Amino acid sequence: MTSVASDRERLRAHPRTGRFGVTAASRRVVLDALARIEGGTLELTLPDGSTRSFGDGNGPAVGATVHRDDLWRRLARRGRTGLGEAYVAGDWDTDDLAGMLGLLLRNARAAVQREPLATIARLGRLRPHVPAPRTMRRARRDIHYHYDLGNDLFRLFLDESMTYSCAYYEHPGQSLADAQQAKYRRLSEKLALGPDDHVLEIGCGWGGFALHAATERGCRVTGLTISEQQHALARERVAAAGLSDRIEILFRDYRTMEGSFSKIVSIEMFEAIGYSQFETFFRTADRLLAPGGSIGLQTIAIPDQRFDRYRKRPDWIQQYIFPGSLMPSLTAMTRAMTRASTLHVHGLEEIGIHYADTLKEWRERFDRRSEDALALGYDERFARIWRYYLASCEALFRTRSMRDVQLVLTRQYNESLPAFPSPRLSH
């Protein structure tokens, strides 16, 4: 098991700002763009102590403080990625990180269509990026980078089921724990899971879905993970629940799996495989799915129109949180599925807005227990990385800049699927 110290050492270092003469020009471009903000107000305190107000007042007001001019240099060199790097470096702070990022996101499209930001954006897209091959060794290393940071870290902000994916809030005021079980239940109902099913879960995390499916639906479940710490804890939880006869947790890459399963479930694992492996995933799932079977696939997704541009250049999250990850688009997934398998989409539900509330709860829990994170051995830089990660993702889903979809996949002539999941609510 790795130590917290070695985990901290794995965190990628942020690039230096440099000292070339772009500070004044970058500051001028950024402040000019902020002057056109709509749908809210930004009160900005600059390094010299002066304060400027931006926006139209037609929305929430947020305050931010620029501590160092390094912010302008990072923005000039690294664009949106530089904004995150500057926050982690302490170049700026805000009283509402998710709210500020949401305000900037809602205005970003209009800003980059105006000069000189339009030219800067075009030049950024010209920089070449060649993704590393998605070998099994590389996949295991990338998963280790994020998921093996320590189970105690994830316990700080996840609910008791240790579920690290978008919840499904059935009604206002529903707890995070109940909303996570509602997500599992909704997916189970879409697949009509029952005691006769042997379910393969590709990317089983800490065993949350496997425990739900075995307990609530009576299924047999085989779960796969390539995270050492997830594998160990998931097996412990299964044994503690007395379900070792119903659930098997394997430390195995899905591409090496053999057998036949009546149902397959994969919850927010697809994002980790990389663009070159889209067809491999569907080809493998098709091979492992028994005749008459179906697949429940939940994945974060990016709107189709942005996918080609997004996949050519790694963003802040890909560089500092999930190396090797790539959010698919719906079109990219279905094209790969059509080319590589006999599967097709039977049903789709958009649940992305629920992710904003899920991430808000995770962020608030993480903030409440930030001292506990420091006590575990993680430093303030690590805390700022994770605070920015959770807040920026919350803003992306709140503004619907990102999606989360539950797909039901099957083959032709399958008459066993329900017309719709039963309208059941948790109380």
Side-chain angles (χ1 to χ4, degrees), residues 1 7 11 26 36 58-59 62 98 103 121 126 162 199 242 279 283 292 312 330 338 350 369 404 411:
M1 182 177 294
D7 289 331
L11 294 174
S26 175
R36 305 174 191 235
N58 296 322
V62 296
L103 181 63
L126 291 176
M162 291 291 285
V199 181
E279 291 188 20
R283 186 179 298 112
K312 294 175 181 177
L330 185 60
T338 300
E350 170 67 58
R369 303 194 64 184
D404 199 274
R411 304 186 184 100

Side-chain angles (χ1 to χ4, degrees), residues 168 170 185-186 189-190 418-427:
Y168 192 97
E170 298 169 304
R185 185 165 52 249
R186 194 162 186 85
E189 289 167 351
K190 290 175 180 178
F420 49 83
S422 60
R424 175 181 173 188
L425 297 178
S426 299
H427 297 286

Side-chain angles (χ1 to χ4, degrees), residues 185-192 348-349 406 408 417-418 421:
R185 185 165 52 249
R186 194 162 186 85
L187 198 53
S188 298
E189 289 167 351
K190 290 175 180 178
L191 299 178
L348 181 151
E349 183 178 10
Q406 279 190 352
V408 176
L417 288 169

Side-chain angles (χ1 to χ4, degrees), residues 332-399:
M333 283 192 293
T334 54
R335 283 177 177 168
M337 181 174 58
T338 300
R339 287 193 296 262
S341 76
T342 62
L343 301 168
H344 68 262
V345 176
H346 170 78
L348 181 151
E349 183 178 10
E350 170 67 58
I351 64 171
I353 194 61
H354 297 272
Y355 224 151
D357 292 331
T358 305
L359 285 152
K360 181 174 185 290
E361 292 221 32
W362 290 346
R363 176 176 55 81
E364 290 175 346
R365 287 168 176 239
F366 185 82
D367 284 342
R368 287 196 299 269
R369 303 194 64 184
S370 58
E371 293 299 320
D372 294 332
L374 296 177
L376 287 173
Y378 300 99
D379 59 17
E380 180 58 29
R381 175 175 178 264
F382 180 92
R384 288 181 74 88
I385 287 174
W386 273 68
R387 194 172 294 119
Y388 190 85
Y389 154 53
L390 295 171
S392 61
C393 289
E394 178 188 342
L396 284 165
F397 285 102
R398 187 78 66 191
T399 59

Side-chain angles (χ1 to χ4, degrees), residues 99-369:
M100 176 180 165
L101 294 174
L103 181 63
L104 296 180
L105 278 169
R106 286 191 292 272
N107 286 272
R109 183 177 180 182
V112 298
Q113 290 176 340
R114 294 189 294 263
E115 296 294 348
L117 289 182
T119 298
I120 295 172
R122 284 194 297 270
L123 291 174
R125 290 196 291 270
L126 291 176
R127 288 180 293 180
H129 171 65
V130 180
R134 296 301 292 164
T135 62
M136 293 184 191
R137 182 178 181 181
R138 173 85 185 197
R140 187 170 296 182
R141 187 178 72 182
D142 288 343
I143 291 297
H144 174 64
Y145 179 89
H146 184 83
Y147 290 96
D148 287 339
L149 283 169
N151 293 330
D152 288 340
L153 170 69
F154 290 95
R155 284 192 181 100
L156 294 180
F157 64 93
L158 299 181
D159 72 292
E160 53 264 37
S161 72
M162 291 291 285
T163 299
Y164 191 34
S165 55
C166 179
Y168 192 97
Y169 290 87
E170 298 169 304
H171 53 76
Q174 188 172 25
S175 70
L176 175 62
D178 285 347
Q180 291 292 11
Q181 294 304 307
K183 179 264 301 295
Y184 289 149
R185 185 165 52 249
R186 194 162 186 85
L187 198 53
S188 298
E189 289 167 351
K190 290 175 180 178
L191 299 178
L193 295 187
D196 295 332
D197 282 313
H198 185 185
V199 181
L200 174 67
E201 186 182 8
I202 301 176
C204 65
W206 291 275
F209 172 79
L211 290 165
H212 174 95
T215 302
E216 301 295 328
R217 312 294 291 200
C219 304
R220 290 173 57 210
V221 182
T222 297
L224 308 180
T225 179
I226 55 174
S227 162
E228 295 175 358
Q229 295 200 32
Q230 284 187 339
H231 178 251
L233 182 55
R235 284 170 58 87
E236 289 177 16
R237 297 178 70 207
V238 168
L243 291 170
S244 297
D245 61 329
R246 307 294 298 170
I247 302 173
E248 182 180 25
I249 305 295
L250 301 178
F251 186 76
R252 183 174 300 177
D253 190 292
Y254 77 97
R255 290 169 283 188
T256 70
M257 193 65 188
E258 299 293 336
S260 179
F261 301 87
S262 60
K263 306 288 169 60
I264 297 176
V265 169
S266 186
I267 301 174
E268 294 181 21
M269 170 271 182
F270 192 88
E271 305 90 327
I273 66 175
Y275 183 66
S276 66
Q277 295 298 305
F278 283 10
E279 291 188 20
T280 300
F281 179 90
F282 291 113
R283 186 179 298 112
T284 303
D286 197 17
R287 171 174 60 81
L288 296 170
L289 185 66
S294 54
I295 299 173
L297 174 62
Q298 179 173 316
T299 182
I300 301 170
I302 193 165
D304 291 306
Q305 293 82 355
R306 288 177 24 224
F307 178 71
D308 283 339
R309 183 169 69 250
Y310 155 77
R311 74 180 180 87
K312 294 175 181 177
R313 199 74 206 159
D315 60 13
W316 183 88
I317 289 177
Q318 290 167 308
Q319 293 182 61
Y320 296 104
I321 300 294
F322 292 107
S325 67
L326 185 84
M327 306 303 116
S329 73
L330 185 60
T331 296
M333 283 192 293
T334 54
R335 283 177 177 168
M337 181 174 58
T338 300
R339 287 193 296 262
S341 76
T342 62
L343 301 168
H344 68 262
V345 176
H346 170 78
L348 181 151
E349 183 178 10
E350 170 67 58
I351 64 171
I353 194 61
H354 297 272
Y355 224 151
D357 292 331
T358 305
L359 285 152
K360 181 174 185 290
E361 292 221 32
W362 290 346
R363 176 176 55 81
E364 290 175 346
R365 287 168 176 239
F366 185 82
D367 284 342
R368 287 196 299 269
R369 303 194 64 184

